[in-house]
């Protein structure tokens, strides 16, 4: 089956309803390269066999460590939202909406929670985790070099290329990095990843021109440090604000998971007033 070539030719779903006002609950967490926490060890036993095998396959120890930390963070955050242990969290792959093969969005295995969605991205010492009550995608990456930028510009949507051509040369790498983060977040959110051509969708800055971003999706830039670009894509309208919260270092180390996830800071706005995150509170109120 050929891949679609425009943003209306694949099923991106309809706008979800997950809160009283129809907005989507989203929690975002930034995971930094783990420093040693006292005499503790990373809780590697909480990963499944496939994750441990993948971690062992990295050639550079730093990459393996970041992968391990990111997946531990994801497991513990999902466990906190669902009221499970990290070992009880398991994943499947949805079908790709472009080709139908099982390499689409990662999802919780059937029976855990159809209302909880997540996304994970890691690059150059940092990782970003999103939990949401609607399909979501995140991307984080180090700001690319000028050479990498020039090599990839030709892959972009015509409207995006036009915007970059108008960007001063000394800011083009930063602008391209942010644009590409939006694009990958959106492509992960719809479930195709880079199987879908990068030129098929416009993720630039909307203006008076003819280009518009994909319908139904909200794509936002995130701050993840001066050397990284990051973005989140959500099906629907997310509840505000959307802070990117740093994950406490101790959350990655061995110890009772209940003690680790209990101090999750809560939101005071809207209806999410408990110590749980907005997503966790919404999950408690959502029938499964």
């Amino acid at each position: 089956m050929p891949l679609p070539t425009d943003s209306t030719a694949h099923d991106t779903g309809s706008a979800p309803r997950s809160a009283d006002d129809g907005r989507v609950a989203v929690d975002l967490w930034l995971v930094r390269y783990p420093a040693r926490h006292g005499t503790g060890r990373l809780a590697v036993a909480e990963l499944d066999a496939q994750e441990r095998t993948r971690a062992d396959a990295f050639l550079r120890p730093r990459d393996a460590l970041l992968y391990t930390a990111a997946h531990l963070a994801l497991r513990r955050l999902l466990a906190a939202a669902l009221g499970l242990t990290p070992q009880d969290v398991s994943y499947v792959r949805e079908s790709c909406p472009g080709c139908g093969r099982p390499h689409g969005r990662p999802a919780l295995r059937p029976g855990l929670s159809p209302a909880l969605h997540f996304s994970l991205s890691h690059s150059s010492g940092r990782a970003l985790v999103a939990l949401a009550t609607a399909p979501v995608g995140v991307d984080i990456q180090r700001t690319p070099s000028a050479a990498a930028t020039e090599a990839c510009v030709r892959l972009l949507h015509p409207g995006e290329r036009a915007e970059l051509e108008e960007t001063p040369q000394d800011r083009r790498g930063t602008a391209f990095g942010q644009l590409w983060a939006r694009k990958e977040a959106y492509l992960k959110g719809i479930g195709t990843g880079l199987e879908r051509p990068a030129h098929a969708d416009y993720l630039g800055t909307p203006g008076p021109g003819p280009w518009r971003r994909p319908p139904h999706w909200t794509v936002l830039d995130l701050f993840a440090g001066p050397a990284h670009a990051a973005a989140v894509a959500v099906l629907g309208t997310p509840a505000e604000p959307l802070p990117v919260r740093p994950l406490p270092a101790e959350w990655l180390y061995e110890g009772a998971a209940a003690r680790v996830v209990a101090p999750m800071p809560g939101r005071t706005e809207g209806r999410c007033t408990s110590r749980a995150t907005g997503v966790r509170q919404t999950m408690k109120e959502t029938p499964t």
Side-chain angles (χ1 to χ4, degrees):
M1 177 185 297
L3 290 173
T5 57
D6 65 84
S7 61
T8 62
H10 63 284
D11 180 15
T12 58
S14 57
R17 296 181 58 194
S18 61
D20 292 341
D21 61 357
R23 292 177 180 261
V24 180
V26 182
D27 285 309
L28 298 164
W29 297 90
L30 182 66
V31 183
R32 291 182 171 86
Y33 186 82
R36 180 171 293 279
H37 176 64
T39 58
R41 297 186 302 172
L42 290 177
V44 178
E46 293 179 3
L47 300 180
D48 64 21
Q50 184 176 6
E51 289 167 325
R52 291 195 293 271
T53 299
R54 178 75 183 274
D56 290 341
F58 282 94
L59 297 178
R60 298 193 304 177
R62 286 184 62 87
D63 294 338
L65 188 56
L66 179 63
Y67 173 91
T68 299
H71 283 258
L72 282 172
L74 176 62
R75 278 187 171 276
R76 288 191 162 185
L77 289 167
L78 287 170
L82 296 168
L84 302 173
T85 67
Q87 293 93 330
D88 288 332
V89 175
S90 61
Y91 316 114
V92 297
R93 281 279 184 176
E94 296 178 346
S95 298
C96 171
C99 67
R101 296 194 298 271
H103 60 80
R105 280 188 300 252
L108 293 167
R109 66 170 169 79
L112 285 184
S113 174
L116 181 60
H117 303 261
F118 62 92
S119 184
L120 169 65
S121 177
H122 47 85
S123 173
S124 300
R126 296 199 171 191
L128 188 62
V129 178
L131 272 61
T133 53
V136 63
V138 291
D139 186 65
I140 185 171
Q141 56 188 280
R142 193 170 184 86
T143 301
S145 65
T149 298
E150 293 305 318
C152 294
V153 164
R154 61 183 178 81
L155 303 175
L156 298 177
H157 184 280
E160 298 166 345
R161 293 201 303 268
E163 289 179 18
L164 285 175
E165 289 171 0
E166 296 176 357
T167 303
Q169 190 68 36
D170 62 339
R171 297 192 347 236
R172 195 166 295 177
T174 300
F176 172 80
Q178 189 61 64
L179 174 60
W180 196 263
R182 290 179 208 144
K183 190 171 292 287
E184 288 218 41
Y186 171 69
L187 294 177
K188 289 168 72 174
I190 65 174
T192 64
L194 290 173
E195 289 285 322
R196 181 170 171 82
H199 61 75
D201 307 286
Y202 172 76
L203 275 303
T205 304
W211 311 115
R212 295 292 180 267
R213 289 184 179 180
H216 307 307
W217 285 81
T218 300
V219 182
L220 301 172
D221 296 343
L222 304 173
F223 179 74
H228 287 75
V232 60
V234 184
L235 179 59
T237 303
E240 295 181 350
L242 278 184
V244 180
R245 287 173 281 188
L247 192 84
E250 60 268 24
W251 284 23
L252 303 173
Y253 290 83
E254 290 179 343
R259 293 202 303 271
V260 172
V261 300
M264 297 171 87
R267 296 182 177 184
T268 57
E269 74 275 12
R271 66 195 183 95
C272 300
T273 57
S274 75
R275 294 174 64 193
T277 65
V279 168
R280 187 182 181 196
Q281 183 67 13
T282 301
M283 293 305 300
K284 289 181 178 179
E285 300 170 4
T286 302
T288 56

